[in-house]
Amino acid sequence: MRRQVRMMAAAAAAVSLMMAVPGQAAEIGDFLTGGSGQSTETTVTGADGTPAADPAQTASPAAGQAINMVTCTDSQTGINVARAVVPEGYQVTSETSWCGLCQSPDYPASVFISAMAPDGSIQLTYESPLEFVQQLNCNVNGLDLTSHQDWTIDTDLMMMKLTYMTAPQYCDFISQNYMQGASNMTFVSEEPISQEVQSTLQQYSQQTLDGANQVYSTYVGDGSMRADYAETTVAQRTYSYTDNATGKQKYLIVSTAVQGIRTVSDFSGYGMGSVNITNVVWSVPARYCLMCDADQLEAGKAAFEAFCSNTTISDQFKQELKKLSSQIMQIVISSRTGGGTGGGMETVSGTVQDSFSSDLGGQDDTYSSTDAWDDVIMDRNDYTLSSGDSVKVDTSYDYVYELSDGSVYATDSALDEPAGGTLLYAN
């Protein structure tokens, strides 16, 4: 049975790559201003008991917006790992986690970015892709050996165990578990999702399912392993809460995408009878958050739009993650073949950091445009800067300029032309 489990781990890792390759999960992250299609709302009251405004009805794009491209450099390796796009004056900090508890073979490193307005009234955060697994069933010859427990490590897949959530559920999870110092957290509203986007997400799910079964057919040709379901969801949810440190009413907006795939293994062997193991491997391509004072919601949403559209890990970082995934699983499988017991991602931390430093050290970081069809769905245009990098701007801005310092200024007025700016044209 041990050999079968090792084979399953290798195949499962290959399947999860289907959720991470460019052109699939990378594009799923581009839907991050969508919703679940259920635009339910709750009345929110302020600290004085009077109804608070629904942010979906009060926010609108600013007349003009200047945004800066801020490079995020890892302090341990010295390599550029990501880019944050924020309004002028924001302070940006970043942290790279190498082979931590929530890392996986597909994503052995992750980046967290925080950007703060000068007066502290608006904060933007980004978290790069994460991946989890939920064990649904483990039955050996009629004996139930299912052992799923959240926040423990699956030592065969080298992933953190966490019960599967759709994107709206993951937004709720973030609001309830990641907001220290917050109280009275209340759901306000959810952005609706168009039928066009819903249809596209269904296509992603089918592509993932087909690709996974093709991988299983290659790795295990006897039909004992298969994927029987895939689901792709997106959501942007707004919450109201009280900041306990200041007593202020604030808003939280969480925007994310989730893709999950259910895998089934049925096999039998001498001395162990029949075995059935069912898992859900699920990934979060990106997670964005806005936290702002209630009276700063309009400015906060304008900043959040630019931040979500353009803040991401670099092209080189994404490619290195893809390259290392198969290498990491080979290391793990070789170790277990030799009698090792496996463990978490910490066992390959040195290898991962060395590979990133060797392959990316001294390289310029680039940020390429994604396919243009999703920009129509998202109501945004793509522009190419003089550096060759791409920047996305909401279509509500009719004029976009690149300034001499490399920053971008967007406006809806032809009279609002910045001195020394170069007018850009949508691709």
Side-chain angles (χ1 to χ4, degrees):
M1 180 176 175
R2 185 70 180 175
R3 179 177 178 277
Q4 289 281 356
V5 171
R6 287 199 302 268
M7 186 181 298
M8 287 163 45
V15 166
S16 59
L17 273 175
M18 301 298 300
M19 302 158 63
V21 295
Q24 192 151 327
E27 292 176 0
I28 293 169
D30 295 325
F31 288 102
L32 294 185
T33 54
S36 71
Q38 300 176 356
S39 186
T40 54
E41 299 184 0
T42 300
T43 300
V44 181
T45 57
D48 59 358
T50 60
D54 183 340
Q57 299 175 2
T58 60
S60 61
Q65 184 182 37
I67 54 177
N68 288 337
M69 321 291 170
V70 180
T71 298
C72 299
T73 303
D74 172 48
S75 60
Q76 298 182 60
T77 61
I79 61 175
N80 296 335
V81 296
R83 176 186 74 176
V85 175
V86 297
E88 287 185 328
Y90 276 53
Q91 181 180 3
V92 177
T93 58
S94 66
E95 180 181 358
T96 306
S97 297
W98 300 95
C99 300
L101 289 176
C102 286
Q103 271 63 73
S104 66
D106 286 336
Y107 305 112
S110 66
V111 178
F112 179 82
I113 297 173
S114 176
M116 187 77 72
D119 63 359
S121 63
I122 299 171
Q123 183 182 10
L124 310 166
T125 64
Y126 160 81
E127 187 168 42
S128 67
L130 296 175
E131 190 172 49
F132 305 97
V133 63
Q134 177 186 2
Q135 186 183 82
L136 297 178
N137 175 66
C138 180
N139 189 290
V140 179
N141 204 25
L143 182 64
D144 185 6
L145 301 179
T146 305
S147 60
H148 178 90
Q149 182 178 345
D150 283 354
W151 304 118
T152 60
I153 300 295
D154 185 312
T155 55
D156 287 311
L157 300 180
M158 291 184 73
M159 291 183 197
M160 179 64 71
K161 294 180 183 178
L162 188 61
T163 301
Y164 170 69
M165 300 173 225
T166 63
Q169 291 171 332
Y170 193 70
C171 288
D172 291 344
F173 174 79
I174 294 297
S175 72
Q176 295 297 326
N177 296 279
Y178 282 71
M179 294 295 294
Q180 294 183 358
S183 61
N184 303 318
M185 185 67 68
T186 306
F187 171 73
V188 176
S189 63
E190 182 173 283
E191 292 293 322
I193 181 172
S194 70
Q195 185 57 48
E196 184 178 8
V197 173
Q198 192 70 265
S199 176
T200 303
L201 294 176
Q202 290 173 357
Q203 291 176 28
Y204 271 122
S205 298
Q206 189 61 52
Q207 291 171 8
T208 299
L209 192 62
D210 293 343
N213 282 312
Q214 183 176 0
V215 169
Y216 278 134
S217 178
T218 300
Y219 271 77
V220 186
D222 60 4
S224 61
M225 302 172 67
R226 66 189 185 279
D228 66 354
Y229 183 75
E231 180 178 52
T232 309
T233 55
V234 294
Q236 180 167 300
R237 288 192 152 200
T238 300
Y239 308 83
S240 176
Y241 69 97
T242 301
D243 182 353
N244 292 334
T246 63
K248 289 184 176 180
Q249 183 193 3
K250 305 191 75 167
Y251 284 111
L252 164 69
I253 299 179
V254 185
S255 188
T256 194
V258 172
Q259 186 175 71
I261 183 167
R262 187 169 62 204
T263 62
V264 181
S265 301
D266 287 300
F267 57 90
S268 59
Y270 179 76
M272 64 180 177
S274 60
V275 177
N276 175 272
I277 299 177
T278 306
N279 291 322
V280 174
V281 177
W282 58 286
S283 63
V284 184
R287 186 258 294 174
Y288 297 90
C289 288
L290 162 69
M291 290 77 71
C292 68
D293 293 351
D295 61 357
Q296 292 295 312
L297 186 58
E298 182 173 341
K301 290 199 72 166
F304 191 55
E305 164 63 30
F307 185 76
C308 290
S309 298
N310 298 286
T311 299
T312 183
I313 52 179
S314 71
D315 298 337
Q316 291 76 15
F317 196 90
K318 294 173 185 176
Q319 288 300 316
E320 192 68 12
L321 290 176
K322 179 183 176 183
K323 170 194 156 186
L324 284 176
S325 177
S326 58
Q327 293 182 9
I328 289 170
M329 286 310 301
Q330 286 301 319
I331 292 173
V332 174
I333 293 170
S334 296
S335 170
R336 291 171 186 172
T337 302
T341 59
M345 289 297 299
E346 72 279 357
T347 60
V348 294
S349 178
T351 299
V352 170
Q353 287 197 48
D354 289 346
S355 294
F356 268 86
S357 298
S358 174
D359 293 347
L360 304 188
Q363 284 193 28
D364 292 332
D365 50 318
T366 61
Y367 302 87
S368 300
S369 170
T370 55
D371 290 342
W373 59 265
D374 68 294
D375 295 326
V376 176
I377 298 173
M378 298 297 296
D379 292 326
R380 66 190 186 192
N381 289 325
D382 177 73
Y383 299 85
T384 301
L385 304 177
S386 58
S387 64
D389 287 341
S390 169
V391 64
K392 309 273 190 179
V393 178
D394 191 277
T395 55
S396 62
Y397 296 106
D398 297 321
Y399 304 92
V400 178
Y401 298 87
E402 181 178 3
L403 305 184
S404 58
D405 61 358
S407 60
V408 171
Y409 184 76
T411 178
D412 57 5
S413 172
L415 302 178
D416 186 17
E417 182 177 350
T422 300
L423 182 64
L424 301 177
Y425 297 92
N427 295 327

